[in-house]
Amino acid sequence: MTARADTIGGRPPAIILVEPQLGENIGTAARAMANFGVTDLRLVAPRDGWPNERAVAASSGASHVIEGARVFATVDEAVADLCFVIATTRRDRDMTKRVEGPEAVLKELCAAPGETGIMFGRERWGLTNEEVARASIIVTFPVDPAFASLNVAQSVLLMAYEWRRAAHGVPVPPPPEHPPATREDVRGLWEHLSTMLQPTGYFRPPDMAEKMERNLLLILSDAGWDRQQVRTLRGVLNHLGRGRETR
């Protein structure tokens, strides 16, 4: 097949594979990325370590993706510098986070200021609710519910294809007036607020505390903050904390 030359605007998203098991799966995902000009591969705690010769063999020549892959210990570290993150999942989630199809969500990603990423879960059971909470939005594929199983490489291929299609002919967005908040900024705000709320007994009853904290992160992750807004809010929290200490 003859490849068609495209004019692509914007920076390709990072691809984050969370705890991938087989090197072959990483390699075929890298091949899918290379097909559509996506090269930033991030691996969170790959089971068989890194580098992996089986990944190299399965990549079928996508060596630039494999060689540039970076390994992180946690999801938080892998997405820290990203401003807009998509979580892919095929399971219903007991959480209030916006869910879109791939076409709509990739258009949104292309318009997002700052660095972006797409997060894929483990081969057997995907992403945890805590990991999904760290994303900006959820995407699901319109697969046949009678057979909804996609492997990691298939999922990466679909999203990389939709990214390239959405980015075709789109001009590079101008730098925003106010830099967008990164996932690290948002997580810092969440931890700051949670730390202040814990001694007040807000997270109760105890068996609901974890879910309540996650729901708070969901709200903060979806808000589309810029960095100055996050700094302002944290300044407010610091002021409130000092006021409480002086009582």
Side-chain angles (χ1 to χ4, degrees), residues 158-209:
L158 285 171
M159 293 298 285
Y161 165 76
E162 286 291 352
W163 167 77
R164 193 170 185 90
R165 197 160 71 98
H168 176 62
V170 174
V172 177
E177 182 179 356
H178 300 290
T182 65
R183 296 291 96 182
E184 183 175 32
D185 296 327
V186 173
R187 181 169 60 90
L189 174 61
W190 170 62
E191 290 175 346
H192 193 162
L193 185 54
S194 295
T195 299
M196 292 191 66
L197 287 172
Q198 283 165 358
T200 71
Y202 177 80
F203 297 115
R204 63 177 187 269
D207 61 330
M208 291 293 292

Side-chain angles (χ1 to χ4, degrees), residues 116-127:
T116 63
I118 309 173
M119 187 161 52
F120 300 84
R122 302 154 187 84
E123 290 92 331
R124 290 188 177 181
W125 46 278
L127 297 166

